[in-house]
Amino acid sequence: MPGSGIGFAVLEVIVFALATALFIYSCWMKIKLLGQGQPEVIKRWDQIPKRIMLLVNEVIGHRKHFRDWYAGPMHLFIFYGFMILFLSIVNFFWEGLGITPEVWEKIRLGVIGKYVSGSALPFTEGFLWYHLLMDTFFVLVLVALGMAFFRRLILRPERMELTSEALLILTLISGVIITDVMIEGAKIVKEGAFPGAYFGQLMAIIWEKVGVKSEHDAEIAYAISWWLHAGILLGFLNYLPISKHTHILTAAPNVFMQSSEPKGAIPPIPNLEERESWGAHTIPELSWKALLDGLTCQECGRCQEQCPAYNTKKPLSPKKIHLDIKHLLSEEGLLPKDKERVPIISEKWTTPEEVWSCTTCRACMTECPVGNEHIPKIIEYRRYLTLMEGNIPGEAQLTLQNLEKNSNPWGVGFDQRGNWAEGLDVPVYADGAQAAFCYFVGRDVSFADS
Ligand code: SF4
Ligand code: SF4
């Protein structure tokens, strides 16, 4: 028990209920933030089997993470560690309530007490498989966290920034694991060894070394560890939706809802005839999926590392495109529809130079492990700049003028289109020639010098 008697059980229920309610409220507020975005123009819920396979590959299999030999296993251990330690969390909560078989008996539900003991889910606590699995994941997650700290603090890859928030998240995860081991160690001091609990056994030795030897000491050590664990776990849970690390919650749905359109397909402009504005230059003009992408960006910088524009020193980072959305969305929050919004295409956020530097090569989207879609946003920004502001780069302006005046982007006079046929004895319809077949010579061939 993390204290004693029914009072602590009630306190536990109140603390967990409040923390869970706060977590649900924060998530709901995030969903409302996303609701400010435009409806999606492409399908996000079709081809369910294909989407499930995406989840299996990208989330469960960590396929894209494994392109980086260091980050791949590191991320995998933390991810699976949390999945598996969920069992331990359920036991931890249950154990805190201290509902023993006698209590079940008292409330005339003794039959449940036979299967659900006072401290754990059936077939878990005291079973070899359970302790072996938990302790192994305690170790793997701690190793992965060590690697993560080492990478952020020592290796410092260019694609990642060292932020206090990232360090706080790593510290909180470490705290969750360490306090869980402390709980197991204190129980071992009190009740004796559990089969397979080798890491807990080590912790029990540490407890004994610091003077926790008697049953009473072990109970105090247990209670302290239990409440520390509860505090860090619930703090972590509630920090996630309000932090910039929301991807822990949103990555899986974001991967699931990736575009199923052919690669390179450009999203159409809905209601083209009736629209009064085109493209996007504020948060509510982006689609809800674009906003979800922003929230989901885990700031790993994989897209930036592969971006030819970034690598040739153009003023574009595909990572920043998403961070700008994430930060402006958090900064503005939920605003009434008629409230004037901060333009995201501006010197403070994403500049027109960044928008026009993209080659639309798609390397960023191929690399992103959470399914973010960079190009559709860049296209929306370009639509805004072109159709609303007439703001296009000089080269593009000339190209468009050439297309308009001469039907080719190079500015070759349109009257020279037929020059290629000179001296080739080609019958020309315009001269009244008759033929069974027509060979349409395309633009590039018609205007090419040769
Ligand atoms: S599509 Fe644009 S942003 Fe993405 S990698 Fe290519 S150039 Fe960079
Ligand atoms: S957009 Fe994707 S690849 Fe780029 S930094 Fe964000 S999560 Fe990483």
Side-chain angles (χ1 to χ4, degrees), residues 276-443:
E276 289 178 0
S277 69
W278 290 271
H281 89 306
T282 61
I283 287 292
E285 286 172 348
L286 287 162
S287 74
W288 62 263
K289 174 63 170 64
L291 303 186
L292 179 62
D293 282 0
L295 284 187
T296 307
C297 179
Q298 59 182 19
E299 309 184 17
C300 65
R302 285 176 169 82
C303 54
Q304 177 180 292
E305 200 171 54
Q306 298 301 323
C307 173
Y310 181 84
N311 285 323
T312 50
K313 310 280 182 240
K314 305 281 187 315
L316 168 66
S317 154
K319 170 171 130 179
K320 181 174 169 288
I321 295 284
H322 283 93
L323 293 190
D324 284 350
I325 294 174
K326 182 195 284 201
H327 296 159
L328 183 54
L329 183 61
S330 316
E331 204 173 290
E332 284 197 306
L334 203 55
L335 291 176
K337 277 200 170 122
D338 54 356
K339 180 103 178 149
E340 198 176 327
R341 307 295 294 239
V342 173
I344 194 163
I345 306 179
S346 61
E347 287 311 310
K348 183 175 175 198
W349 301 98
T350 303
T351 64
E353 291 72 32
E354 289 171 71
V355 173
W356 289 114
S357 294
C358 175
T359 64
T360 63
C361 68
R362 216 174 177 279
C364 47
M365 289 172 62
T366 306
E367 210 55 36
C368 181
V370 295
N372 278 356
E373 295 163 1
H374 306 62
I375 296 178
K377 295 173 194 72
I378 291 173
I379 286 178
E380 282 305 305
Y381 293 158
R382 286 181 175 178
R383 280 175 176 161
Y384 173 80
L385 288 170
T386 310
L387 299 170
M388 300 301 289
E389 293 197 343
N391 175 355
I392 47 178
E395 307 93 304
Q397 264 177 29
L398 186 62
T399 303
L400 291 175
Q401 274 171 8
N402 287 336
L403 280 168
E404 189 183 4
K405 287 185 186 157
N406 293 310
S407 318
N408 68 76
W410 308 287
V412 181
F414 73 92
D415 57 340
Q416 295 174 42
R417 184 165 192 136
N419 286 3
W420 65 272
E422 276 173 16
L424 292 180
D425 193 23
V426 176
V428 178
Y429 279 106
D431 298 340
Q434 297 292 315
F437 298 100
C438 166
Y439 171 46
F440 176 74
V441 185
R443 181 198 66 199

Side-chain angles (χ1 to χ4, degrees), residues 107-309:
I107 56 174
R108 295 168 192 265
L109 289 171
V111 65
I112 296 179
K114 273 189 201 155
Y115 299 100
V116 182
S117 79
S119 61
L121 293 170
F123 309 112
T124 55
E125 203 72 35
F127 285 79
L128 174 69
W129 75 268
Y130 175 73
H131 292 290
L132 198 57
L133 188 69
M134 290 301 146
D135 281 35
T136 301
F137 270 94
F138 286 152
V139 174
L140 289 177
V141 175
L142 287 177
V143 168
L145 288 166
M147 288 168 73
F149 274 115
F150 186 72
R151 187 171 63 145
R152 295 234 174 218
L153 295 170
I154 311 291
L155 297 178
R156 294 193 179 199
E158 194 211 324
R159 65 181 165 90
M160 300 177 83
E161 276 95 46
L162 178 65
T163 63
S164 53
E165 218 180 88
L167 293 180
L168 178 62
I169 291 278
L170 291 178
T171 309
L172 286 174
I173 300 175
S174 309
V176 169
I177 303 297
I178 290 168
T179 48
D180 212 352
V181 182
M182 284 164 65
I183 291 174
E184 191 176 47
K187 280 198 289 191
I188 291 174
V189 174
K190 185 181 170 208
E191 299 168 22
F194 299 130
Y198 58 92
F199 202 39
Q201 190 65 48
L202 186 68
M203 189 63 222
I205 295 170
I206 296 172
W207 275 130
E208 282 169 358
K209 289 263 183 256
V210 296
V212 177
K213 291 192 171 127
S214 67
E215 197 171 304
H216 177 69
D217 293 344
E219 274 174 8
I220 293 173
Y222 173 78
I224 292 171
S225 309
W226 196 97
W227 282 108
L228 266 178
H229 188 61
I232 298 173
L233 185 68
L234 297 177
F236 176 65
L237 185 72
N238 277 287
Y239 183 58
L240 281 184
I242 57 165
S243 75
K244 289 171 188 163
H245 281 68
T246 320
H247 74 273
I248 296 175
L249 302 170
T250 55
N254 205 47
V255 166
F256 184 82
M257 290 186 284
Q258 273 180 85
S259 166
S260 57
E261 300 289 304
K263 287 189 175 81
I266 294 180
I269 302 177
N271 309 321
L272 188 60
E273 303 295 327
E274 294 98 55
R275 295 185 79 88
E276 289 178 0
S277 69
W278 290 271
H281 89 306
T282 61
I283 287 292
E285 286 172 348
L286 287 162
S287 74
W288 62 263
K289 174 63 170 64
L291 303 186
L292 179 62
D293 282 0
L295 284 187
T296 307
C297 179
Q298 59 182 19
E299 309 184 17
C300 65
R302 285 176 169 82
C303 54
Q304 177 180 292
E305 200 171 54
Q306 298 301 323
C307 173

